[in-house]
Amino acid sequence: MPSKYLIVFAQAHHEFRIPELHSVAKLYGFDISLPGGEIETDRPYMVVGLANETHARQLAKRCILIKAIYEFYAQGSTYEEVHAQNRANHALWSRYKLDTSFKFFVTAFNHKIPQDRQKSVVESFSYMDFMGKIDMKTPDIVLGCFEEYIEKRGMIRDRHDGDGQFRQVYFGRLIEEGSARVLIKTFDVKKRDYFGNTSMESEVSLLMANQTLASPGKLIYDPFLGTGSMAYPAAYFGAQVFGSDIDGRQMRGKASTPGVFRAAAQYGVSNRIIDILTFDITHNPWRCGGLFDAIVTDPPYGVRAGAKRLGRKKELDPERMALYFEHRNNPRPEDQPYIPPTKPYELSNLAVDLVKLSRYLLKPGGRLVFFLPTVTEEYEELDIQSMLCEGMEVTANSLQDFGSWGRRLVTIERTTSDFYPPPSFDLGEFEDGANSRHVPAHKDFRDKYFQGFKKESTTG
């Protein structure tokens, strides 16, 4: 039977918590038991089941959203319940009674506990009869008591109002402080040597890297590399990274050394960026599949930069076509390189093509991790399911909510070892898609965004 551990979460991206826990557990090869029933992911504390402390430490060191993990002793809606449960778990903490230095603290979420009541709470645990030295700086163990209060944001009140009217109390022994959250500052875009107006914020790019199961020996690909935000965390976690983009200027910048490599050197991972190439994924150079352990990307969806693919918006008239062939058959001056024409790449078609490409390029069990923008009022689960094909299954779908719209971090896993030929990108839908006639809410997302997501008025 697994032991219980208390996770203290950072209050950010609460829908991403469970997928990150499952991903890190899978990365290290252990099981994690979550609370039964419907999980309230926005609450700051969660009691989970793990086989041993090693697994708890692995979660704390890798999960971006974990502040700390404690060995769980008790919880309750009153201190009477907490004390009764803590006494019943005497075997968990009695070994520390005699000669272990300790620190005991009481804190609260969404509340400030008065100093005198903090003291009374500490004294209420006197039955534990710890004989060791109290050491507030370098104790052998840390005991924490956490009161959870209902959020009262926007209300004018004294900071001690409602003291003692908590929702739940948790008590346990510290196992490991979360050490991965410092990486948010390490990869801060504002401190990066090279970034652009579409660079992904560091916390989210780290979460994406965890979803890919990035680790030494893994090979990861970003087909819309841009300024490389997803590449750096994946490389930091030990993976080898390859990137491409239809616009080489995004990856290179203006300096002699490409911007992506300059930023990678800043993080000490330039030797893990295998290469960057310029091409359109619908006209890609891949000649065999099953190459990558993961594909991670943030496809452009038109708010700050629109997606493009090779081609013309409309065919040339005969006169222009003749001029085109004339120029093509004659060498161009060195200062006039040929720039192939591009046309808009509609988001719903891009998403479908990305899944097709991933099924071809991923190893069995490999993951595709990407963001998909959605219109809040129009979104339905079928929007995600309709882009799938045989052998690809959704394992996680988490929303980052911006109000009238949001973006979903979608993780799709290649669940088959069957061979599939290189995909054709001529069609905008799967020939074997069960929901190929479904029109997803993210279709024409750019137009909807700039229209303020206003529904078209109907006249009867």
Side-chain angles (χ1 to χ4, degrees):
M1 183 176 178
S3 301
K4 290 184 177 181
Y5 293 86
L6 172 66
I7 298 179
V8 181
F9 285 110
Q11 284 305 101
H13 305 295
H14 59 267
E15 280 207 18
F16 296 62
R17 292 172 178 173
I18 303 302
E20 185 180 43
L21 288 176
H22 281 308
S23 294
V24 175
K26 182 172 183 178
L27 172 64
Y28 290 112
F30 62 82
D31 294 325
I32 179 170
S33 301
L34 301 180
E38 185 176 351
I39 300 176
E40 298 179 74
T41 57
D42 58 341
R43 296 181 65 173
Y45 310 110
M46 181 184 295
V47 179
V48 302
L50 298 168
N52 52 57
E53 283 190 17
T54 299
H55 297 163
R57 295 183 188 279
Q58 288 173 325
L59 287 176
K61 291 177 180 179
R62 181 65 187 257
C63 288
I64 307 303
L65 298 178
I66 289 181
K67 293 176 68 176
I69 295 184
Y70 288 72
E71 182 182 31
F72 174 76
Y73 289 166
Q75 78 174 90
S77 56
T78 65
Y79 273 104
E80 288 75 17
E81 292 179 6
V82 170
H83 291 315
Q85 194 174 132
N86 190 44
R87 291 176 188 272
N89 286 328
H90 177 269
L92 295 176
W93 49 264
S94 59
R95 53 184 165 157
Y96 304 113
K97 289 176 60 174
L98 295 179
D99 57 358
T100 303
S101 64
F102 69 96
K103 172 184 176 180
F104 198 118
F105 72 90
V106 183
T107 188
F109 173 74
N110 278 329
H111 183 70
K112 178 70 174 179
I113 305 175
Q115 194 70 34
D116 57 344
R117 195 171 73 79
Q118 290 186 41
K119 181 179 178 182
S120 67
V121 169
V122 173
E123 292 175 347
S124 71
F125 286 88
S126 60
Y127 61 86
M128 296 178 73
D129 199 23
F130 274 45
M131 305 300 292
K133 176 185 176 182
I134 297 175
D135 187 343
M136 302 302 288
K137 292 185 177 180
T138 57
D140 293 328
I141 64 170
V142 176
L143 300 172
C145 190
F146 305 89
E147 296 181 0
E148 179 189 1
Y149 289 76
I150 296 175
E151 189 170 1
K152 297 180 180 179
R153 183 179 300 175
M155 297 178 61
I156 300 175
R157 60 188 177 90
D158 184 84
R159 63 178 180 170
H160 297 315
D161 278 357
D163 184 55
Q165 300 174 12
F166 43 76
R167 184 178 186 180
Q168 197 80 183
V169 179
Y170 301 86
F171 180 58
R173 174 180 66 89
L174 177 65
I175 299 296
E176 187 84 26
E177 297 278 4
S179 56
R181 287 195 62 75
V182 299
L183 296 176
I184 298 173
K185 290 185 177 180
T186 301
F187 289 96
D188 186 356
V189 175
K190 295 179 182 178
K191 301 175 183 177
R192 188 173 297 165
D193 285 347
Y194 181 69
F195 62 90
N197 64 344
T198 59
S199 295
M200 180 68 70
E201 58 267 33
S202 61
E203 186 171 15
V204 174
S205 62
L206 286 160
L207 289 169
M208 296 178 75
N210 274 345
Q211 288 292 92
T212 66
L213 313 183
S215 59
K218 299 287 183 67
L219 181 58
I220 295 178
Y221 172 45
D222 185 347
F224 299 96
L225 184 66
T227 58
S229 292
M230 267 61 71
Y232 313 129
Y236 179 85
F237 288 136
Q240 302 291 319
V241 180
F242 184 92
S244 69
D245 202 294
I246 192 173
D247 187 354
R249 296 170 299 179
Q250 287 286 323
M251 300 182 290
R252 294 190 300 268
K254 295 182 178 180
S256 57
T257 301
V260 168
F261 286 113
R262 284 190 282 119
Q266 179 183 355
Y267 303 124
V269 298
S270 57
N271 62 328
R272 296 188 189 136
I273 307 298
I274 297 176
D275 208 348
I276 55 175
L277 291 179
T278 301
F279 60 80
D280 173 11
I281 65 165
T282 65
H283 296 76
N284 64 74
W286 306 117
R287 294 297 176 261
C288 64
L291 295 173
F292 299 103
D293 296 283
I295 294 175
V296 59
T297 194
D298 180 32
Y301 41 87
V303 175
R304 286 179 289 183
K308 301 287 186 180
R309 61 178 296 181
L310 295 180
R312 299 184 183 277
K313 296 180 182 179
K314 59 181 180 180
E315 292 298 323
L316 297 177
D317 56 48
E319 182 178 346
R320 287 182 175 271
M321 184 65 73
L323 186 62
Y324 165 74
F325 280 109
E326 178 182 344
H327 283 299
R328 194 183 71 169
N329 295 329
N330 295 318
R332 289 173 171 269
E334 292 184 1
D335 62 342
Q336 295 184 21
Y338 174 69
I339 299 176
T342 59
K343 60 183 179 181
Y345 200 175
E346 208 288 313
L347 178 62
S348 60
N349 292 334
L350 184 155
V352 168
D353 289 345
L354 181 59
V355 176
K356 285 195 291 187
L357 179 66
S358 299
R359 183 176 67 173
Y360 174 62
L361 290 179
L362 287 174
K363 299 176 182 178
R367 289 182 163 196
L368 164 64
V369 181
F370 69 104
F371 264 114
L372 182 73
T374 57
V375 182
T376 302
E377 292 187 0
E378 299 178 16
Y379 170 78
E380 53 183 314
E381 290 296 325
L382 189 56
D383 292 347
I384 305 295
Q385 296 299 323
S386 64
M387 69 177 66
L388 299 180
C389 60
E390 182 182 2
M392 300 291 281
E393 293 183 8
V394 175
T395 61
N397 177 3
S398 308
L399 174 66
Q400 185 179 10
D401 193 358
F402 298 128
S404 57
W405 74 285
R407 57 182 184 182
R408 292 183 174 274
L409 182 56
V410 182
T411 301
I412 300 176
E413 189 167 308
R414 190 182 196 274
T415 57
T416 179
S417 58
D418 293 343
F419 170 79
Y420 290 92
S424 169
F425 300 103
D426 295 333
L427 301 177
E429 62 186 22
F430 283 117
E431 60 273 10
D432 57 343
N435 302 301
S436 58
R437 295 183 180 179
H438 173 72
V439 179
H442 54 267
K443 181 175 173 57
D444 300 321
F445 177 83
R446 184 178 187 277
D447 294 337
K448 295 176 182 178
Y449 179 90
F450 287 109
Q451 291 170 5
F453 302 106
K454 296 177 182 179
K455 293 184 177 180
E456 295 183 4
S457 58
T458 56
T459 56

